[in-house]
Amino acid sequence: MSTRRMIGGEIILKALADQDVDVVFGYPGGVTLPLYEKIGQQNRTEHILVAHEQGGVHAAEGYARSTGKVGVVLATSGPGATNTVTGLVDALMDSIPVVCLTGQVTSHLIGNDAFQEADTTGITRPATKHNYLVKSTDDLARVIHEAFHVATAGRPGPVLVDIPKDVILGEGAYVGPDDVEIKQTYKPQIRGDRKAIEEAVELLASAKKPIIYAGGGVINSGPRASRLLTELVDMTGYPCTLTLMGLGAYPASRAQFLGMPGMHGSLEANMAMYHCDVMVNIGARFDDRVTGNTAEFSPKSRKVHVDIDPSSINKNIAVDVPIIGDCASVLRDMLKVWKENKLKTDKAALKKWWARIDRWRAKDSYGFDQGPDIIKPQFALSRLNELTRGMDIHVTTDVGQHQMWAAQHLHFEEPNRWMTSGGLGTMGYGVPAAMGVQKGNPDSKVVCVTSEGSLLMNIQEMATIANYRLPVKILNLNNKVLGMIRQWQELFHGNLESECDLSGSPDFVKLAEAFGFEALTASRPDEVDDAIIAMLESEGPCFLNMGVDRFESVYPMIPAGAAHYDIVLGPNDQRAEVDDDDLAMASLA
Amino acid sequence: MAAKKPRKAATKRELAAAKDAIQEHTFSVLVDNEAGVLARVVGLFSGRGYNIESLTVSEVDQDAHRSKITIVTNGTPMIIEQIRAQLERLVPVHRVADLTVEGPSVSRELALVKVKGKGERRVESLRIADIFRAHVVDSTNSSFVFEIVGDTGKLDAFIELMEPLGLVDVSRTGVVAIARGSQDM
Ligand SMILES: Cc1ncc(C[n+]2csc(CCOP(=O)(O)OP(=O)(O)O)c2C)c(N)n1
Ligand SMILES: [Mg+2]
């Protein structure tokens, strides 16, 4: 084992280089100054000076989700560290590998309420997958390498390393990643149990009304998992639905794709989830936004659940065949078992099942009416989808109505192309995430779909984007309102608009120009295509302010805690016309 | 120490067998003895709304820096399975044993029980202490401190009997438990 003595700051940079880190998103401060001195003396790892540490974490998340690498953040002690908390929880909820290094006050001052001291490991303990306080420079390299391991192994997540100033300044031994004995306590199980896989495959083959329901675990498992999922879906001819986190894991353009399930999912996906007799969940987590009322969730199905995290299984929904393992590994084994046993699907039953699904699909539950005057946000997004077809494109979103419409109307053919804050639902995610995506994918068209409420939450990162000439495109679907709040107030809270109006927002065009963006506008349906094309073709950072219908609501909608058959379709609030037959069959079968 | 066994989650049928019945379980958790490890475990319980009936912790292996935490908790079978999975997910956790289901185990608790009184009541408290094999570890003219070891039920019974005899204070360690037989954890 070769060791070299180095200064703490150098150890940090060497460890990052050995972890193949090309970029860190950071912001300096008193206790990290000695590290910045070293950063300024090297050019192996690029440092992006963000405008706010929360933006730094979201940028690291965007970078990680689009590249499959670890996103790295650097913040100072106290306020720098506390500013990262929302980003860390966001990464925790969506299982994104992020390593966040924070400075801490000098060791002997810890606990003294020193200037810019915060109990960072205490505050972030429930906000991270794991965190560390480094006590000595000799431990520094090992802890950083371990942090990268923990962030990526098994179900990924954020890991924070808190480093006191004296540890940065002190001298210690450097050990490389290969010389670090990774703690063997955190050992995720990759291979699924063979017996359970056989049982799952048999169940799958015996299905008369199957559905494959896949989620972000497939994306996290790497592109191979998406290929294997596609193979399984195509081989069986079964319908497939993908969660908000899983979009892109199966090509959206194929007929077997039913769209997204859940609160704002398609009628066909939700009805198929409700009526199916076999449900195979691969890397999704039966989130409450998907299940609605758990007591009424898919009551007649036998369920398989594949997840690398044992704590995801039987958390919300008890399943018949649990399989703990990595999605790619389990999918490969499932395909192998299917082929070895020469299994066949029940073609006749499947034909009937598809006929039913096609009847639900015929209702065109994502449909909308674009009139001549006001731009419908769905129209803008479906045009964006058309006009970017075949392009090398990545999309980030913020949180609200625009996010749900983007999930409905943008079609992803590949994984790692769609970045949205699913678990935490963090307004302010979109702009900094887009910055990170662009950093990791310099040649891609990176589009952030947002709306003015979310935009204002991390708008400061437009300065960073402009400063680094990152050609990010921001599409602001400006409805002058916290649209999702307005929608819930209309539907569930007495139809009273309370504190959601944003008509007093700033002039976003001027603001974008002040940040150094090219700024465009569109306010009529016939301007939409030209504006989107101009945005996509602009060389540098570009902002398109698109005035859209303030009163549009997202449909379909399953009210929170309701059952799937309570799905509400279309602007007239009618209940979905689910055949009475279907319901009767479901409750009798 | 034995390696972690491959995990298998419970099936719906297994969970349904004891649906919704609240059960008490004793977990033994072997952890790295490092700063914050207890906070992680306790934070997990409070953050997710699990109950802690008793919790004890102490270093058990100085050379390897290992501590053992014994937690008595309760919940439905689904919750108990969650608790186990969530504990296993913590990085400094080496092994989680659910002593309630993994074969026979013994559990013990120690209490220090202070009783104040004179005359007949004082004699009576000594006599009961004798029956329970409690020892006197401190005495004054008007008080005793008894040390008693046993399972939770025995301690509860002893303390209840001391109540009318002048019970003034109790300190209990909480439960420690271990699997019976020759196997290590
Ligand atoms: C940080 C944060 N605060 C509050 C919310 C609650 N929330 C969810 S959607 C929404 C409105 C979003 O408005 P806007 O960004 O304009 O998007 P729109 O719904 O209009 O498309 C709010 C306030 C949230 N998700 N995140
Ligand atoms: Mg809005």
Side-chain angles (χ1 to χ4, degrees):
Chain A
M1 182 154 109
S2 65
T3 55
R4 260 198 305 156
R5 303 216 41 95
M6 293 162 99
I7 299 298
E10 295 166 352
I11 289 179
I12 294 170
L13 288 165
K14 174 91 173 104
L16 294 180
D18 284 352
Q19 290 290 343
D20 198 23
V21 174
D22 296 325
V23 55
V24 305
F25 300 90
Y27 208 87
V31 299
T32 53
L33 281 172
L35 174 57
Y36 274 85
E37 191 180 323
K38 302 292 177 197
I39 288 175
Q41 294 165 358
Q42 56 89 52
N43 51 21
R44 164 64 183 83
T45 301
E46 187 185 1
H47 180 278
I48 301 287
L49 177 61
V50 298
H52 185 292
E53 292 86 350
Q54 184 193 347
V57 186
H58 294 321
E61 289 185 271
Y63 180 87
R65 287 174 74 164
S66 60
T67 62
K69 293 176 69 175
V70 178
V72 182
V73 187
L74 179 54
T76 191
S77 66
T82 56
N83 271 350
T84 65
V85 170
T86 302
L88 294 172
V89 180
D90 193 87
L92 184 70
M93 294 286 275
D94 284 347
S95 310
I96 313 300
V98 166
V99 168
C100 179
L101 307 177
T102 51
Q104 181 54 277
V105 300
T106 295
S107 302
H108 75 264
L109 291 176
I110 291 178
N112 281 21
D113 296 327
F115 178 63
Q116 293 195 326
E117 179 185 358
D119 176 6
T120 301
T121 47
I123 290 168
T124 61
R125 200 171 286 128
T128 53
K129 184 173 171 186
H130 192 54
N131 63 17
Y132 300 85
L133 172 64
V134 184
K135 297 259 173 70
S136 128
T137 310
D138 279 324
D139 293 337
L140 191 51
R142 175 186 60 77
V143 170
I144 293 174
H145 294 313
E146 202 173 292
F148 276 82
H149 169 75
V150 173
T152 50
R155 181 176 179 174
V159 179
L160 181 138
V161 182
D162 200 25
I163 313 171
K165 187 172 189 175
D166 53 309
V167 173
I168 301 175
L169 280 166
E171 202 185 73
Y174 182 78
V175 286
D178 299 335
D179 295 327
V180 170
E181 200 195 325
I182 294 297
K183 257 205 229 148
Q184 287 307 300
T185 54
Y186 188 74
K187 257 190 304 185
Q189 187 171 313
I190 304 297
R191 272 315 273 280
D193 178 67
R194 173 79 187 196
K195 267 239 179 70
I197 288 174
E198 281 170 4
E199 209 183 320
V201 170
E202 263 159 45
L203 197 58
L204 196 61
S206 73
K208 298 200 182 314
K209 295 179 280 177
I211 183 138
I212 295 173
Y213 149 50
V218 176
I219 312 261
N220 273 336
S221 176
R224 195 170 70 103
S226 294
R227 285 197 295 275
L228 291 164
L229 173 72
T230 305
E231 191 183 334
L232 181 73
V233 175
D234 291 353
M235 183 185 76
T236 53
Y238 288 174
C240 171
T241 179
L242 298 171
T243 67
L244 185 68
M245 297 303 297
L247 296 176
Y250 179 82
S253 60
R254 308 234 179 134
Q256 277 162 261
F257 180 56
L258 303 189
M260 181 172 71
M263 181 173 278
H264 293 299
S266 73
L267 177 67
E268 54 271 31
N270 282 314
M271 287 298 118
M273 292 282 267
Y274 184 80
H275 291 286
C276 66
D277 68 345
V278 172
M279 175 183 292
V280 180
N281 171 345
I282 305 171
R285 59 189 181 92
F286 294 112
D287 177 77
D288 57 87
R289 283 294 187 261
V290 166
T291 61
N293 180 356
T294 51
E296 301 252 26
F297 175 71
S298 194
K300 300 299 165 196
S301 64
R302 306 251 285 146
K303 298 178 187 74
V304 176
H305 188 183
V306 181
D307 204 301
I308 198 159
D309 179 359
S311 76
S312 280
I313 293 178
N314 293 327
K315 182 167 67 183
N316 302 331
I317 298 287
V319 295
D320 303 275
V321 186
I323 303 174
I324 296 163
D326 174 61
C327 290
S329 165
V330 173
L331 278 163
R332 190 199 54 201
D333 288 350
M334 284 174 77
L335 283 160
K336 217 165 99 193
V337 170
W338 185 289
K339 287 171 193 164
E340 275 169 16
N341 296 358
K342 301 203 169 60
L343 293 173
K344 295 249 150 35
T345 59
D346 183 339
K347 288 257 159 50
L350 200 55
K351 200 169 158 209
K352 266 169 90 184
W353 180 226
W354 271 113
R356 257 173 102 185
I357 292 172
D358 286 338
R359 267 187 285 146
W360 294 317
R361 177 136 60 184
K363 290 212 174 280
D364 187 20
S365 61
Y366 289 167
F368 58 91
D369 293 320
Q370 175 59 65
D373 300 321
I374 307 171
I375 302 171
K376 295 282 183 190
Q378 304 97 313
F379 175 69
L381 288 163
S382 54
R383 293 313 300 156
L384 177 68
N385 187 56
E386 273 309 309
L387 295 167
T388 53
R389 187 162 291 199
M391 278 187 191
D392 181 7
I393 182 172
H394 290 82
V395 176
T396 72
T397 77
D398 266 303
V399 172
Q401 291 183 316
H402 64 276
Q403 175 190 31
M404 292 299 114
W405 283 315
Q408 293 178 345
H409 295 282
L410 300 180
H411 298 159
F412 297 92
E413 302 297 303
E414 288 174 18
N416 306 98
R417 299 264 167 189
W418 158 255
M419 281 29 76
T420 194
S421 171
L424 195 62
T426 310
M427 289 171 69
Y429 172 87
V431 171
M435 165 168 99
V437 174
Q438 188 79 75
K439 199 61 216 161
N441 303 270
D443 300 325
S444 170
K445 295 265 180 243
V446 179
V447 180
C448 166
V449 176
T450 184
S451 183
E452 67 295 89
S454 298
L455 176 62
L456 279 170
M457 286 229 177
N458 270 323
I459 198 164
Q460 77 286 346
E461 298 311 329
M462 283 177 70
T464 316
I465 289 169
N467 195 15
Y468 287 86
R469 297 299 301 160
L470 297 170
V472 168
K473 318 300 177 205
I474 298 177
L475 172 57
N476 183 34
L477 295 175
N478 191 339
N479 52 3
K480 297 200 162 78
V481 67
L482 296 173
M484 192 57 97
I485 300 294
R486 190 206 60 72
Q487 174 169 349
W488 282 57
Q489 290 180 339
E490 177 193 320
L491 296 177
F492 308 117
H493 298 278
N495 196 13
L496 168 80
E497 277 197 18
S498 171
E499 302 300 323
C500 65
D501 183 65
L502 295 179
S503 51
S505 294
D507 180 336
F508 286 107
V509 170
K510 279 191 187 148
L511 197 52
E513 282 171 352
F515 274 121
F517 274 58
E518 181 183 349
L520 308 168
T521 57
S523 51
R524 295 173 41 84
D526 57 12
E527 295 168 353
V528 167
D529 275 30
D530 286 348
I532 289 176
I533 291 168
M535 172 184 82
L536 292 169
E537 286 180 352
S538 73
E539 288 284 311
C542 184
F543 183 91
L544 170 53
N545 192 48
M546 192 173 287
V548 298
D549 192 348
R550 185 181 188 280
F551 297 98
E552 194 66 22
S553 289
V554 185
Y555 290 104
M557 179 164 197
I558 301 171
H564 282 177
Y565 54 73
D566 284 325
I567 191 165
V568 180
L569 280 186
N572 304 327
D573 259 11
Q574 344 111 321
R575 226 154 150 265
E577 284 169 49
V578 184
D579 319 3
D580 286 346
D581 276 11
D582 285 343
L583 281 179
M585 273 170 66
S587 43
L588 287 175
Chain B
M1 201 198 69
K4 273 188 188 177
K5 292 186 202 117
R7 285 272 282 119
K8 268 176 86 174
T11 65
K12 191 167 151 188
R13 192 175 311 140
E14 284 160 7
L15 292 170
K19 200 174 168 28
D20 295 340
I22 303 274
Q23 304 165 342
E24 187 179 282
H25 282 245
T26 303
F27 285 100
S28 189
V29 189
L30 193 65
V31 300
D32 283 323
N33 182 14
E34 61 181 34
V37 66
L38 187 60
R40 272 179 222 288
V41 171
V42 173
L44 171 66
F45 276 73
S46 62
R48 292 186 182 267
Y50 307 144
N51 295 320
I52 298 180
E53 285 181 10
S54 156
L55 183 144
T56 65
V57 57
S58 183
E59 190 167 71
V60 291
D61 183 341
Q62 263 193 332
D63 298 336
H65 299 289
R66 297 280 160 78
S67 290
K68 200 187 268 182
I69 303 176
T70 309
I71 307 168
V72 182
T73 182
N74 59 42
T76 62
M78 242 165 126
I79 297 280
I80 296 294
E81 201 198 342
Q82 268 294 300
I83 290 174
R84 188 203 175 105
Q86 295 288 351
L87 283 169
E88 283 181 332
R89 213 154 76 122
L90 298 177
V91 173
V93 168
H94 287 261
R95 166 118 168 83
V96 179
D98 183 343
L99 296 176
T100 307
V101 297
E102 292 178 16
S105 63
V106 278
S107 60
R108 288 290 179 270
E109 197 180 348
L110 182 148
L112 297 172
V113 180
K114 189 178 285 182
V115 181
K116 187 176 155 195
K118 289 211 156 119
E120 187 47 39
R121 292 208 307 181
R122 187 169 158 82
V123 177
E124 178 66 5
S125 71
L126 261 186
R127 195 163 40 232
I128 292 173
D130 197 40
I131 298 168
F132 277 78
R133 293 182 213 284
H135 305 287
V136 176
V137 292
D138 178 67
S139 70
T140 68
N141 283 341
S142 61
S143 71
F144 289 122
V145 174
F146 297 111
E147 172 203 281
I148 176 167
V149 176
D151 62 24
T152 300
K154 174 178 167 186
L155 268 59
D156 287 346
F158 180 72
I159 291 163
E160 203 182 309
L161 288 170
M162 287 298 134
E163 189 90 45
L165 301 177
L167 182 77
V168 288
D169 202 4
V170 180
S171 289
R172 292 172 75 150
T173 56
V175 174
V176 291
I178 202 163
R180 289 183 187 272
S182 58
Q183 288 278 16
D184 72 2
M185 212 184 148

